[in-house]
Amino acid sequence: MFYFLCKTILQRNNGCFISAQKPSILLLSDACIRYMSSDENQHSFTVSYLIKTYGFSPESALSISKRVNFEDPKKPDLVLSFFKNLGFSKIQISKIIRKFPETLSANLEKNIFPKVEFFISKGASTTDLIRIFTYYPWLFSRSLENQLIPSFNFFRDFHHSDEKTIAAIKRYPIILTRRLEADVIPNINTLHEYGVPASKILMLVHYFPQKIGMEADKFKKIVEEVKKMGFDPLKSQFVSAIIALTAMSRSMWDKKVDAYKRWGWSNEDICRAFVKFPWCMTNSENKIMAVMDFYVNKLGLESSVIAHRPLLLSLSLKKRLIPRASVIQFLSSKGLMKTSSGMIRVFTCTEKYFMEKCINCYEEAPQLLKLYNENLELSKQLVVKQQRIRQTKFGPFRKMLGAANK
């Protein structure tokens, strides 16, 4: 089945795979020559091929050529045709080459074909394959029989479904390379020992597979810490707290604690908020300061109100809080909304409920809707503007840093 899939790009010739297309003669560009010393001239064909075929800069092509080198385009052309036939774009193939240049010189029949065929046999779509292999092309260097199949089967036993297993792997393909006996299985056993239900363990494995694959000693210490904080292993917050704590270092945690204390929160407030809604500690310092400033200084809410309702900290400032606040302030000016609790409900309710209870039910609905949409549009424009500023400000620096690290 798999070779039939690839028949448009491959043909057999005395037991060897060759490209169905005639090799093209590639000439070394002048731009590339400037970046190569006499010792690197042996890589000239490889560099030229990478520039002309994938559009790599001379610097990137030269860096890649230090890890893979070939004298003719037969093998790399076959790799290109193979992935294009599967539905990969040239940009996506370039990502694979940039991360794992050895793909271009790999033995397709032994190292690449069987692994792609395996995922296809498990129901992986083109989108799935693109996600998995562009995210972590190093899978091509791992043993199918000794590593990938045993790991896939292990997680498949959890999900009882190839489709769900593929979905989990897409989120974190590296999980297939983690040590089952040394880390994954001990971590799962730790959760069992602390009384975490199988359904909650499955939630962690499925949605955050990277957490279950971390070093067993570190994982166990975090689980112990979560238990000491007062989390109930039977509830989802226990797993959420594990996810939150594994996502940051102790220094990051301390900085976020300091950020909340700047708004008058005590250690008890922070602990209570974390137990209620662990995701409040996954916010960046900037997000914490901006959202707290909005609630306290812009809307006049007491800081303690937010401490008792930490869910408010996870809401988007630009996409939800600012647009809905414009409606709240309008209604408040008309004496139609006065209490803090009313304001909080407006922020946390669904979009449908918000439209029904805060806009459509009032005589001023056309005006409210216009005000709301205007603020939504302003927020979108602000996001785009900030993205452009970051690209303009940091783009050259990132390019320079990337060149320096090569």
Side-chain angles (χ1 to χ4, degrees), residues 43-309:
H43 300 294
S44 61
F45 180 86
T46 303
V47 172
S48 179
Y49 179 91
L50 293 169
I51 291 172
K52 292 190 175 183
T53 305
Y54 293 101
F56 290 129
S57 68
E59 300 94 333
S60 295
L62 183 57
S63 176
I64 293 172
S65 74
K66 294 176 181 178
R67 295 175 57 186
V68 62
N69 192 31
F70 39 84
E71 298 178 354
D72 63 65
K74 288 182 180 179
K75 235 179 189 178
D77 273 355
L78 184 59
V79 170
L80 175 62
S81 297
F82 170 73
F83 282 112
K84 286 178 67 175
N85 189 65
L86 286 174
F88 287 63
S89 69
K90 187 168 285 189
I91 292 177
Q92 291 160 347
I93 302 171
S94 297
K95 288 182 179 179
I96 293 175
I97 305 305
R98 191 182 296 275
K99 290 181 178 180
F100 188 56
E102 290 81 358
T103 304
L104 288 174
S105 59
N107 185 318
L108 291 176
E109 188 173 9
K110 292 182 179 180
N111 300 116
I112 296 181
F113 291 177
K115 290 157 191 175
V116 174
E117 184 178 29
F118 172 74
F119 282 105
I120 291 176
S121 72
K122 297 300 181 181
S125 65
T126 297
T127 302
D128 298 333
L129 294 174
I130 290 171
R131 165 63 184 174
I132 291 169
F133 289 113
T134 56
Y135 184 98
Y136 197 70
W138 293 272
L139 289 177
F140 292 131
S141 68
R142 298 305 181 105
S143 169
L144 180 62
E145 291 77 16
N146 298 328
Q147 179 74 50
L148 303 186
I149 291 178
S151 292
F152 185 95
N153 290 340
F154 176 84
F155 291 108
R156 205 262 179 222
D157 289 341
F158 261 88
H159 292 91
H160 303 291
S161 162
D162 287 341
E163 181 181 359
K164 292 179 180 178
T165 305
I166 290 290
I169 292 171
K170 278 172 57 181
R171 294 187 177 94
Y172 191 66
I174 303 173
I175 192 62
L176 288 178
T177 67
R178 290 294 186 249
R179 302 176 302 173
L180 292 178
E181 296 294 335
D183 295 320
V184 176
I185 294 175
N187 291 342
I188 291 173
N189 288 340
T190 294
L191 294 174
H192 280 302
E193 291 169 7
Y194 276 81
V196 179
S199 60
K200 302 297 186 294
I201 297 176
L202 176 60
M203 181 181 75
L204 181 64
V205 172
H206 185 70
Y207 291 103
F208 297 91
Q210 66 271 33
K211 308 302 181 183
I212 207 68
M214 67 184 296
E215 291 182 17
D217 290 342
K218 293 181 179 179
F219 186 83
K220 188 167 187 176
K221 288 180 181 178
I222 288 175
V223 174
E224 290 173 350
E225 189 174 356
V226 169
K227 178 65 175 178
K228 289 178 182 178
M229 288 180 174
F231 285 89
D232 184 351
L234 297 177
K235 296 183 178 179
S236 298
Q237 285 93 331
F238 191 92
V239 173
S240 298
I242 294 172
I243 295 168
L245 289 180
T246 55
M248 71 187 86
S249 64
R250 173 58 64 179
S251 61
M252 290 175 61
W253 171 274
D254 291 340
K255 288 179 181 179
K256 294 175 183 182
V257 167
D258 289 340
Y260 284 121
K261 285 185 175 180
R262 277 179 250 170
W263 293 98
W265 287 26
S266 64
N267 287 328
E268 291 73 20
D269 290 329
I270 296 170
C271 185
R272 187 187 305 112
F274 184 61
V275 172
K276 280 188 175 182
F277 188 70
W279 304 115
C280 70
M281 292 302 290
T282 62
N283 293 329
S284 67
E285 288 181 78
N286 289 338
K287 171 73 182 290
I288 292 170
M289 297 303 292
V291 173
M292 290 298 295
D293 176 72
F294 175 80
Y295 286 128
V296 176
N297 295 330
K298 301 296 191 301
L299 296 183
L301 291 176
E302 293 293 333
S303 175
S304 59
V305 172
I306 313 304
H308 284 85
R309 297 171 178 81

Side-chain angles (χ1 to χ4, degrees), residues 316-319 376-390:
S316 170
L317 189 62
K318 300 180 181 68
K319 297 178 181 179
L376 272 178
E377 185 60 32
L378 285 174
S379 295
K380 291 178 183 178
Q381 292 175 4
L382 181 59
V383 170
V384 172
K385 183 178 179 180
Q386 289 176 337
Q387 290 173 342
R388 289 175 179 170
I389 290 174
R390 283 196 294 270

